[in-house]
């Protein structure tokens, strides 16, 4: 029925060493379903850079979450990667290890509404003090976020 898509603007990045989730700037889309029975297919792609960290032999990772708000209400988490998981991770044996890549996720939502829905991507570091960077300008292409309404 409809598609909403966007790319992140230059400089819209999240650089964090925190285990607390934070919104990744410009990684949100708003769609208003035409039918309450519609499904929403979400596809989002981000550049992620996991920098070195000081704890040798431990795993470091960048974690992501997908949240939504319906009709201006509170955000709820649809897809979450707790600190026991690894969205993108590495183990380190020396202080010079780091890596980056461009990663894509998909999620199929059943919101049961015709109210406006805001979908927002969040990010965090797996370990406290571990430097992770989402959509860092100059390191890779911008993030992309697409929502497609599918009639049922």
């Amino acid at each position: 029925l409809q598609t909403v898509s966007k790319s992140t603007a230059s400089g819209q990045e999240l650089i964090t060493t925190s285990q607390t989730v934070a919104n990744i700037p410009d990684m949100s889309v708003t769609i208003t379903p035409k039918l309450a029975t519609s499904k929403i297919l979400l596809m989002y792609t981000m550049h992620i850079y996991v920098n070195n960290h000081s704890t040798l032999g431990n795993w470091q990772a960048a974690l992501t979450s997908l949240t939504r708000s319906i009709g201006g209400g509170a955000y709820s988490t649809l897809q979450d990667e707790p600190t026991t998981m690894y969205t993108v991770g590495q183990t380190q044996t020396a202080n010079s290890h780091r890596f980056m890549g461009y990663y894509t996720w998909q999620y199929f939502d059943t919101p049961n509404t015709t109210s406006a829905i805001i979908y927002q991507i969040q990010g965090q570091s797996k370990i406290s003090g571990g430097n992770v960077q989402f959509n860092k300008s100059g390191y890779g292409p911008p993030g992309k976020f697409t929502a497609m309404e599918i009639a049922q």
Side-chain angles (χ1 to χ4, degrees):
L1 289 174
Q2 64 176 314
T3 300
V4 177
S5 187
K6 70 185 286 188
S7 293
T8 56
S10 179
Q12 296 299 304
E13 58 202 35
L14 172 64
I15 299 172
T16 185
T17 58
S18 175
Q19 290 179 289
T20 302
V21 296
N23 289 345
I24 299 173
D26 220 16
M27 285 299 291
S28 66
V29 292
T30 302
I31 190 167
T32 304
K34 297 183 185 310
L35 303 170
T37 56
S38 291
K39 310 292 186 194
I40 308 294
L41 175 60
L42 301 162
M43 296 170 287
Y44 52 102
T45 303
M46 290 183 292
H47 181 268
I48 297 176
Y49 174 56
V50 178
N51 203 348
N52 57 2
H53 57 92
S54 60
T55 309
L56 301 181
N58 285 348
W59 280 90
Q60 164 55 326
L63 306 176
T64 61
S65 299
L66 170 64
T67 63
R68 79 168 177 210
S69 168
I70 297 176
Y75 279 86
S76 59
T77 301
L78 298 176
Q79 185 174 2
D80 187 26
E81 292 153 344
T83 56
T84 56
M85 299 179 73
Y86 301 86
T87 299
V88 177
Q90 70 162 342
T91 188
Q92 184 167 317
T93 58
N95 281 337
S96 62
H97 288 156
R98 55 198 172 273
F99 71 95
M100 64 178 73
Y102 204 58
Y103 303 92
T104 300
W105 293 261
Q106 293 182 11
Y107 186 83
F108 201 58
D109 192 21
T110 307
N112 297 313
T113 187
T114 55
S115 297
I117 307 167
I118 302 170
Y119 292 99
Q120 172 70 54
I121 308 299
Q122 298 178 319
Q124 72 185 89
S125 176
K126 177 177 173 53
I127 63 171
S128 180
N131 183 290
V132 294
Q133 302 177 15
F134 299 87
N135 293 330
K136 172 102 172 112
S137 296
Y139 281 16
K144 296 177 180 15
F145 199 169
T146 301
M148 296 172 50
E149 180 180 6
I150 302 167
Q152 297 295 299

